[in-house]
């Protein structure tokens, strides 16, 4: 897999256009090509390649077939690639406070006005050697999906596939967390290695997980965040016109968040039609779960990264 990746890069390097003005950036996604959390990034690439003719182009190397998802953050930091579509949950090793991004649920239009974008850009500049170009998927929360029925919020005796997004809440409710990349979820469920998994409300059909999923636990919690990052050296090497194409496309990409509410509703309906049952323990239980999920996550972020954690909490306002 890695050999293929490096061979691919070598081919790309020799295929760069000769034109002095036009720059080509190499991009990867931490999610499979054509799936829920790559789709809008791929639309963004198409737009940049349309609007940026003769100015800036993006060469899309692809998703996890090209690069393991948990290595994408480091690859953009070290300029193995120029650009990446990646959730903060996949680079907590480089920036522990990135685990807190899921707790910031405000729309990007607001985050760009109230200093959140600026602070996150500083963090990315310093710790990930990258420009924080855009954040996607406002209004898309997460769920725990299960194959064993429970009658209250209690994961005792259950093994649940996690990333840093769900680890603290799974542990708080007595479950055993098992970390895997998204590409390993299907097999883990099929073989009974796990009894459930954390994932956003959307996207479970992309890799066929609906066939190995019985229940979706309510309530939905936290906020999906998938970021477009640009290596800071690559970013600084661009001229104003090139940066403008990327910044304009980034705002357009964030504008696609207006599609999310309808997409979430459609996906919930599709899960119901596929026979996936909601496990809903009522309004009081939901309220208590959300409060605890929020608490344990902030505690964990602040413990790992006290100063940025506290600042993020203040910006998140929860
Ligand atoms: O579950 C995951 O792999 C994960 O952490 C995530 C984060 C953002 C979008 C989709 C999945």
């Amino acid at each position: 897999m890695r050999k293929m990746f490096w061979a691919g890069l070598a081919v790309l390097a020799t295929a760069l256009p000769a034109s002095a003005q036009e720059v080509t950036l190499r991009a990867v996604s931490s999610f499979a090509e054509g799936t829920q959390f790559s789709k809008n990034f791929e639309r963004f690439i198409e737009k940049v390649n349309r609007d940026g003719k003769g100015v800036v182009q993006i060469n899309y190397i692809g998703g996890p077939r090209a690069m393991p998802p948990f290595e994408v953050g480091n690859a953009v930091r070290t300029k193995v690639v120029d650009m990446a579509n990646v959730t903060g949950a996949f680079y907590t090793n480089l920036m522990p406070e990135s685990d807190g991004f899921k707790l910031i649920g405000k729309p990007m239009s607001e985050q760009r006005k109230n200093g959140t974008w600026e602070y996150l850009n500083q963090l990315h500049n310093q710790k990930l050697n990258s420009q924080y170009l855009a954040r996607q998927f406002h209004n898309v929360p997460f769920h725990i999906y299960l194959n064993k029925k429970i009658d209250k919020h209690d994961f005792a005796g259950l093994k649940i596939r996690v990333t840093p997004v769900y680890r603290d809440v799974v542990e708080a409710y007595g479950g055993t967390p098992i970390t895997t990349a998204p590409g390993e979820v299907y097999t883990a469920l099929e073989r009974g290695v796990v009894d459930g998994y954390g994932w956003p409300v959307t996207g479970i059909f992309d890799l066929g997980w609906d066939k190995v999923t019985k229940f979706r636990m309510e309530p939905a919690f936290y906020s999906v965040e998938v970021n477009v990052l640009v290596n800071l050296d690559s970013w600084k090497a661009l001229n104003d016109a090139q940066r403008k194409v990327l910044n304009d496309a980034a705002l357009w990409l964030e504008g696609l968040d207006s599609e999310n509410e309808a997409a979430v509703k459609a996906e919930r309906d599709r899960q119901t039609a596929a026979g996936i049952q909601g496990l809903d323990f009522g309004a009081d239980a939901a309220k208590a779960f959300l409060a605890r999920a929020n608490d344990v996550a902030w505690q964990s972020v602040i413990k790992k990264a006290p100063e940025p954690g506290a600042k993020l909490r203040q910006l998140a306002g929860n």
Side-chain angles (χ1 to χ4, degrees):
M1 204 73 108
R2 278 195 209 162
K3 265 192 203 132
M4 272 171 58
F5 171 67
W6 286 109
L9 278 191
V11 170
L12 288 173
T14 55
L16 289 176
S19 146
Q21 285 89 354
E22 189 180 89
V23 168
T24 299
L25 303 174
R26 297 156 304 158
V28 293
S29 177
S30 61
F31 296 98
E33 289 152 52
T35 63
Q36 192 63 35
F37 298 103
S38 285
K39 268 187 210 160
N40 286 357
F41 179 60
E42 289 162 2
R43 289 161 77 187
F44 161 89
I45 291 173
E46 279 170 23
K47 180 172 170 63
V48 168
N49 288 348
R50 225 171 26 240
D51 298 350
K53 284 209 171 68
V55 181
V56 59
Q57 296 286 290
I58 298 172
N59 207 326
Y60 186 35
I61 300 167
R65 283 186 302 174
M67 182 183 288
F70 299 156
E71 288 176 26
V72 168
N74 200 41
V76 72
R77 184 180 72 83
T78 55
K79 207 168 176 305
V80 167
V81 294
D82 301 301
M83 181 183 282
N85 180 59
V86 59
T87 169
F90 293 177
Y91 51 84
T92 55
N93 55 330
L94 302 169
M95 191 198 277
E97 59 272 32
S98 66
D99 192 26
F101 304 164
K102 67 189 179 197
L103 301 165
I104 304 172
K106 295 178 180 171
M108 277 314 287
S109 51
E110 198 178 328
Q111 292 192 42
R112 283 188 183 267
K113 280 190 220 126
N114 72 6
T116 307
W117 178 86
E118 212 172 357
Y119 181 62
L120 289 180
N121 188 42
Q122 263 175 39
L123 288 177
H124 282 88
N125 284 184
Q126 288 162 8
K127 300 195 174 174
L128 232 74
N129 188 37
S130 62
Q131 177 76 6
Y132 181 55
L133 196 67
R135 169 173 171 167
Q136 315 156 68
F137 301 111
H138 175 248
N139 269 341
V140 181
F142 296 93
H143 280 277
I144 301 295
Y145 297 84
L146 294 168
N147 280 330
K148 290 190 180 148
K149 195 164 189 171
I150 53 174
D151 52 18
K152 58 180 196 289
H153 293 122
D154 182 2
F155 302 140
L158 299 180
K159 286 172 288 180
I160 299 178
R161 174 271 173 186
V162 301
T163 64
V165 173
Y166 330 93
R167 172 172 285 276
D168 297 305
V169 73
V170 163
E171 281 179 343
Y173 284 92
T176 304
I178 297 176
T179 301
T180 84
E184 288 149 31
V185 171
Y186 186 97
T187 310
L189 288 164
E190 197 185 27
R191 297 192 182 154
V193 172
V194 295
D195 305 302
Y197 59 98
W199 192 257
V201 63
T202 53
I204 71 157
F205 292 91
D206 283 334
L207 302 174
W209 301 347
D210 55 301
K211 296 186 192 75
V212 284
T213 302
K214 294 201 176 98
F215 306 105
R216 184 192 62 245
M217 192 189 85
E218 301 294 334
F221 56 99
Y222 305 154
S223 300
V224 170
E225 44 88 22
V226 180
N227 308 304
V228 179
L229 307 183
V230 182
N231 172 276
L232 198 56
D233 303 309
S234 307
W235 179 254
K236 285 180 178 162
L238 298 174
N239 63 33
D240 288 349
Q242 290 161 339
R243 282 192 212 143
K244 181 167 166 36
V245 170
L246 295 178
N247 275 329
D248 288 351
L251 293 178
W252 174 88
L253 175 61
E254 288 177 356
L256 297 180
D257 276 346
S258 64
E259 300 173 353
N260 295 342
E261 212 178 305
V264 165
K265 190 184 177 307
E267 189 95 357
R268 286 176 64 94
D269 291 347
R270 191 176 169 198
Q271 289 181 12
T272 304
I276 296 170
Q277 276 179 51
L279 295 176
D280 190 335
F281 311 126
D284 290 348
K287 202 172 159 212
F289 178 86
L290 291 178
R292 184 139 180 230
N294 197 60
D295 264 15
V296 294
W298 277 125
Q299 269 169 32
S300 167
V301 171
I302 289 166
K303 189 170 163 207
K304 284 178 285 201
E307 199 198 315
K311 173 83 180 166
L312 288 177
R313 186 160 202 181
Q314 177 220 323
L315 289 165
N318 56 23

